[in-house]
Amino acid sequence: MRIGIDCRLYGTRHRGIGRYAEELVLALAKRSDGHRYTLFVAGEVADALSLDPSRFTVVRADVPHYGIAEHLAMPGLIRRARVDLMHFTHFNVPYWCPAPYIVTIHDLIAFHFPHERATTLPLWQYRLKVRGFNRVLRNAVKKARAVIAVSEFVKRDMVRHLGVPEEKVAVVHLGVEQMLLGTDVMRNTPQFDRLLSETFGIAKQYLLYVGSAYPHKNLEKLIDAYALLRARHGRNWQLVLAGRTDAFYERVRAYADSRLAESDVRSDVIFTGEVSESMLDGLYRSAKCFVFPSRYEGFGLPALEAAARGVSVVCAKAGSLPEVMADAAEYVDPESSQDIADTISRVAGSHKVADALASLGRERAKRFTWEKTAQHTVDVYNRIMV
C-alpha cells in the first residue's frame, strides 16, 4: 500500500506537531511493514531528508498551512502522487481530499480557548480565523476513515464536543525520543553545566518550564507562584522558561517585569529563547524540578521528556496530564498560584520526595516510545484499508 503523509509541519520548528511528524517518519523508516510512503514536505525539509528511496518518495509541497492555498493546491498534489491512503498529521485537511484519509488530532485548544489573548491578530480577524478553524476541524474528522487521538482525553473531548463516534477514534500515544547526551548518566557533566551557566545566566538551582507561552499554558500563574516561593517559602531558586521568543513570550516577560519588581527576584527569571536540542536536553537534566501548569494539554510531551531524564515533575491536574503522567508527577490546581508554590516547595525542597518522584517518572517514560507510536499507527492504516 502506498501511504501519503502530510509532513508540511515537520521538525521542531513547528513545535509539538512538528516533532510528532518527524519522529513518526523516522520510526516508520526503521520498520519493515511492506508499505511505501510518500511524504509531502516543504522545500527546505525535502532537501535535508535522507530516507530509503525504495520505500520513501518525497514530494515538494510548498503549500502554506492554515490557509486557502492548502485547500486548493494539496488535492492536486495528492491526486498526482496516486496514494492509496493519506495521513494528515494535524487537523488542517483539505476540504476535498481525493484519497481516503486518516487524521491525527492533538487537541481541541482552538475549540476551548477562542480568546483574543490567544492571538496577535485584530479581534475581528481572529474571530473569522477561529470560525474557519472549527469548520476545517469538523470537516476533517467527519470525512476521515479513522481519527487518531494522541490521548484518551482528546478522544473523549472529540466524542463529547464534536460528536465523533467512539469506534472511529484510535488512541495512539506519542513517544519520548532518545536522550541526546546519553541514556545511562542522568546528570550533566560539570563542563556542560558551565556552558549552560555561561549561555543563559544560570547561577543557582533552577525550576524549569519548556514550551510555548500561549495563554492556556498559564505562565502568568507560574510567575505568581514563583513570587510566593521566594517571599513565603524563602526558596532562592531561579526559574528558567525555555521556548521560542514571540509575542506571547513578550507578554509573559512584561508580566514578570511588573509582578517581580524587586531586582534580585526578577533577575532570577530567565527567558532562554529558542534553544538547540542538545541545550534543551542539558536544561532538562540539570533542573531541580520541572513545572508544567498548563490548563489544557492534549498530551503534554515536555512533562514526559523531563521525567525520562530523571527530573521530578509538578504539573496541573488538567487535560491529558493525569493520564500521561499517572503517579509519576505531583498535581496542582492550575488556577491556584498558592497551590503551585506550595507543591513545588514540598517536592523540590525535599531530596527524598524529589528522588522518589524522579524514579517513578523514569519508569513511566519507558512506556512511551516512538516505535510503539509507529506500530500502532500502522495498525490503523492496515485496519481501515482491509
Side-chain angles (χ1 to χ4, degrees), residues 127-361:
R127 286 175 175 169
L128 284 176
K129 180 179 177 180
V130 168
R131 188 176 301 174
F133 272 21
N134 282 332
R135 178 171 292 186
V136 170
L137 171 63
R138 291 179 183 276
N139 179 74
V141 298
K142 179 181 179 181
K143 294 180 180 177
R145 292 285 184 90
V147 179
I148 290 177
V150 299
S151 63
E152 290 285 352
F153 169 77
V154 172
K155 176 178 179 176
R156 292 194 302 270
D157 222 14
M158 285 192 290
V159 171
R160 181 181 305 140
H161 296 291
L162 301 182
V164 182
E166 266 192 79
E167 61 275 11
K168 191 175 181 177
V169 185
V171 174
V172 179
H173 286 138
L174 307 185
V176 181
E177 82 286 1
Q178 184 177 3
M179 293 180 284
L180 297 178
L181 303 180
T183 56
D184 296 327
V185 180
M186 290 294 174
R187 309 305 295 178
N188 291 327
T189 63
Q191 293 84 354
F192 201 93
D193 276 338
R194 280 198 296 273
L195 177 62
L196 292 177
S197 177
E198 293 166 1
T199 304
F200 302 115
I202 296 171
K204 305 174 183 177
Q205 294 177 314
Y206 63 91
L207 311 172
L208 177 67
Y209 165 84
V210 173
S212 66
Y214 296 130
H216 71 274
K217 296 293 189 178
N218 207 24
L219 296 189
E220 285 90 352
K221 196 71 73 175
L222 177 56
I223 298 294
D224 291 342
Y226 180 69
L228 292 174
L229 272 171
R230 295 292 295 259
R232 297 186 185 177
H233 291 279
R235 300 298 189 181
N236 190 27
W237 303 324
Q238 290 181 298
L239 173 62
V240 177
L241 303 161
R244 184 185 311 146
T245 301
D246 57 15
F248 300 103
Y249 256 114
E250 290 301 335
R251 286 181 190 169
V252 176
R253 187 191 295 270
Y255 185 82
D257 290 343
S258 63
R259 179 69 176 82
L260 305 174
E262 300 89 347
S263 60
D264 62 326
V265 176
R266 173 61 187 88
S267 63
D268 277 342
V269 179
I270 298 170
F271 294 84
T272 69
E274 188 168 12
V275 298
S276 68
E277 289 293 288
S278 59
M279 281 292 198
L280 179 59
D281 198 34
L283 284 171
Y284 273 127
R285 288 170 182 269
S286 282
K288 187 167 187 62
C289 179
F290 182 80
V291 188
F292 208 51
S294 181
R295 294 185 176 98
Y296 182 108
E297 288 295 324
F299 188 79
L301 191 54
L304 204 59
E305 290 176 338
R309 289 152 173 84
V311 179
S312 58
V313 174
V314 171
C315 63
K317 193 173 185 178
S320 63
L321 292 171
E323 171 190 342
V324 172
M325 296 304 298
D327 64 350
E330 285 289 326
Y331 296 96
V332 298
D333 176 0
E335 303 306 325
S336 172
S337 54
Q338 185 69 63
D339 188 32
I340 297 171
D342 291 347
T343 305
I344 293 172
S345 183
R346 178 168 55 83
V347 171
S350 166
H351 288 298
K352 182 178 180 181
V353 174
D355 289 348
L357 204 56
S359 180
L360 290 170

Side-chain angles (χ1 to χ4, degrees), residues 116 118-127 129 248 251:
E116 59 266 23
T119 185
T120 56
L121 297 172
L123 185 56
W124 68 269
Q125 193 172 346
Y126 178 62
R127 286 175 175 169
K129 180 179 177 180
F248 300 103
R251 286 181 190 169

Side-chain angles (χ1 to χ4, degrees), residues 33-44:
D33 53 31
H35 300 309
R36 298 188 66 190
Y37 296 92
T38 298
L39 309 181
F40 297 85
V41 298
E44 67 272 15

Side-chain angles (χ1 to χ4, degrees), residues 10 21-31 49-51 56 374:
Y10 183 101
E22 180 177 9
E23 296 291 350
L24 175 62
V25 167
L26 295 177
L28 289 172
K30 296 174 183 175
R31 293 173 48 83
L49 280 176
S50 179
L51 298 166
F56 289 87

